């Protein structure tokens, strides 16, 4: 996957015309150490499927970046590293891994952030990137980037709506200038539908809780009836062995208990 840096340069055309054979040919600048390591890491990842070595190569390059290294090279190293971590089923480490090279969420490149959102969303843990993406979107410097709208839409669809963060979603779409009026209306309609689903789910949960409470009461009442039945059987069995006044008093007490716990009379 290495790029061919030995390709001869095409003849330069301009005011002076093509180069003459006697003129020295300018050699292409040698690739930086970071670019060489990036190519090596990509080769290890895609060709050799050595994900651990690819990750180590990216980390070695990122740890020794010089001031002249382009932001694109750094971003590409992080993307290769993210893919290597995912291939090794270490995707939970991705966010903390990239943040160690950018320190704060607001400085993450859009491509890296997009990859993180897609990864954690696919693994059904969108909450892991909620605060990071929110911080990135709120940064004024990022709001002028051409990728801002796409990331805002991705955040809505893959993070906020699945998590039920409807107020945050509404604030984002209303307060962001990155959405057209048509897009804003579509998103607000989706938020409204999600609110209705939440309301129905809440009502269903309350009804289920009420049914459970009623079932619990019925169970307790049946237990009480069984207890009264045993008391009644015991009273009947000893009725003839008790003096008349005592048996009459026991029967009266039993009737009072039945009346007391009868729900139709309560």
């Amino acid at each position: 996957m290495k790029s061919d840096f030995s390709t001869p340069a095409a003849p330069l055309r301009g005011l002076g015309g093509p180069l003459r054979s006697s003129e020295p040919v300018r050699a292409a600048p040698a690739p930086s150490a970071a670019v060489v390591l990036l190519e090596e890491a990509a080769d290890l990842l895609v060709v050799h499927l050595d994900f651990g070595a690819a990750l180590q190569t990216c980390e070695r390059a990122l740890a020794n970046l010089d001031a002249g290294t382009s932001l694109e090279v750094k971003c590409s190293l992080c993307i290769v590293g993210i893919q290597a971590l995912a291939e090794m089923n270490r995707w939970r480490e991705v966010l903390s891994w990239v943040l160690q090279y950018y320190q704060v969420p607001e400085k993450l490149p859009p491509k890296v952030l997009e990859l993180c959102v897609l990864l954690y969303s696919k693994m059904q843990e969108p909450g892991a990137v909620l605060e990071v993406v929110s911080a990135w979107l709120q940064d004024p410097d990022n709001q002028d980037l051409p990728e801002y709208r796409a990331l805002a839409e991705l955040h809505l669809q893959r993070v906020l709506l699945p998590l039920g963060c409807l107020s945050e979603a509404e604030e984002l779409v209303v307060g962001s200038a990155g959405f057209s009026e048509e897009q804003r209306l579509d998103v607000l309609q989706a938020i409204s539908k999600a609110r209705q689903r939440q309301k129905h789910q809440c009502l269903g949960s309350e009804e289920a809780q009420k049914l459970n409470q009623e079932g619990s009461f019925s169970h307790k009442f049946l237990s009480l009836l069984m207890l009264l039945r045993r008391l009644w059987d015991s009273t009947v069995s000893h009725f003839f062995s008790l003096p008349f006044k005592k048996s009459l008093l026991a029967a009266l007490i039993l009737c009072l208990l039945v009346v007391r716990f009868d729900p139709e009379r309560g």
Side-chain angles (χ1 to χ4, degrees):
M1 187 172 286
K2 294 184 178 181
S3 302
D4 186 3
F5 289 96
S6 60
T7 303
L12 298 178
R13 299 183 181 275
L15 296 177
L19 290 175
R20 299 177 181 178
S21 59
S22 59
E23 295 177 354
V25 178
R26 296 179 181 177
S32 66
V35 172
V36 173
L37 289 174
L38 172 60
E39 292 180 346
E40 181 182 341
D43 193 57
L44 288 167
L45 176 72
V46 178
V47 180
H48 301 285
L49 303 180
D50 192 343
F51 309 124
L55 178 64
Q56 292 176 0
T57 303
C58 290
E59 291 175 337
R60 187 166 73 252
L62 289 166
N64 296 283
L65 291 177
D66 53 43
T69 304
S70 70
L71 297 178
E72 188 65 28
V73 171
K74 182 178 180 180
C75 175
S76 299
L77 285 166
C78 286
I79 289 175
V80 174
I82 290 171
Q83 183 65 31
L85 285 168
E87 294 287 353
M88 292 187 291
N89 199 27
R90 292 170 55 186
W91 55 271
R92 289 184 177 85
E93 304 174 30
V94 164
L95 197 56
S96 59
W97 185 80
V98 296
L99 283 174
Q100 68 180 315
Y101 299 112
Y102 289 95
Q103 285 74 50
V104 292
E106 294 83 353
K107 299 302 180 182
L108 287 174
K111 292 180 182 179
V112 170
L113 190 59
E114 178 184 4
L115 191 57
C116 289
V117 172
L118 292 173
L119 175 62
Y120 282 90
S121 173
K122 182 179 180 181
M123 302 310 295
Q124 298 183 354
E125 288 196 15
V129 294
L130 175 61
E131 294 183 3
V132 170
V133 185
S134 296
W136 191 94
L137 292 172
Q138 292 171 7
D139 186 82
D141 294 336
N142 294 329
Q143 294 177 5
D144 295 329
L145 297 176
E147 300 91 348
Y148 182 85
R149 179 191 294 182
L151 270 169
E153 292 179 0
L154 189 67
H155 186 49
L156 280 168
Q157 299 297 333
R158 297 298 187 96
V159 180
L160 294 180
L161 293 180
L163 289 174
C165 301
L166 304 184
S167 297
E168 291 85 346
E170 198 169 39
E171 290 176 4
L172 176 61
V173 71
V174 171
S176 174
F179 293 93
S180 66
E181 190 62 28
E182 183 179 356
Q183 289 175 324
R184 187 174 288 108
L185 291 175
D186 290 341
V187 174
L188 290 176
Q189 186 177 5
I191 293 172
S192 177
K193 291 180 179 179
R195 272 208 178 91
Q196 291 177 0
R197 286 194 299 269
Q198 274 190 354
K199 185 177 180 180
H200 291 321
Q201 290 173 357
C202 183
L203 290 175
S205 176
E206 290 177 356
E207 290 177 359
Q209 185 177 4
K210 184 178 179 180
L211 290 174
N212 289 335
Q213 290 175 349
E214 291 177 355
S216 177
F217 174 78
S218 299
H219 178 73
K220 291 179 180 178
F221 183 69
L222 288 175
S223 299
L224 178 60
L225 289 179
M226 292 178 64
L227 176 61
L228 293 175
R229 176 69 179 272
R230 287 195 294 269
L231 289 173
W232 173 259
D233 291 341
S234 176
T235 301
V236 171
S237 63
H238 293 84
F239 177 78
F240 295 102
S241 63
L242 293 174
F244 178 73
K245 290 184 178 180
K246 291 184 178 180
S247 61
L248 183 61
L249 179 60
L252 179 60
I253 293 174
L254 185 60
C255 289
L256 290 174
L257 287 173
V258 172
V259 172
R260 171 66 178 82
F261 291 102
D262 186 353
E264 296 183 357
R265 297 174 181 271

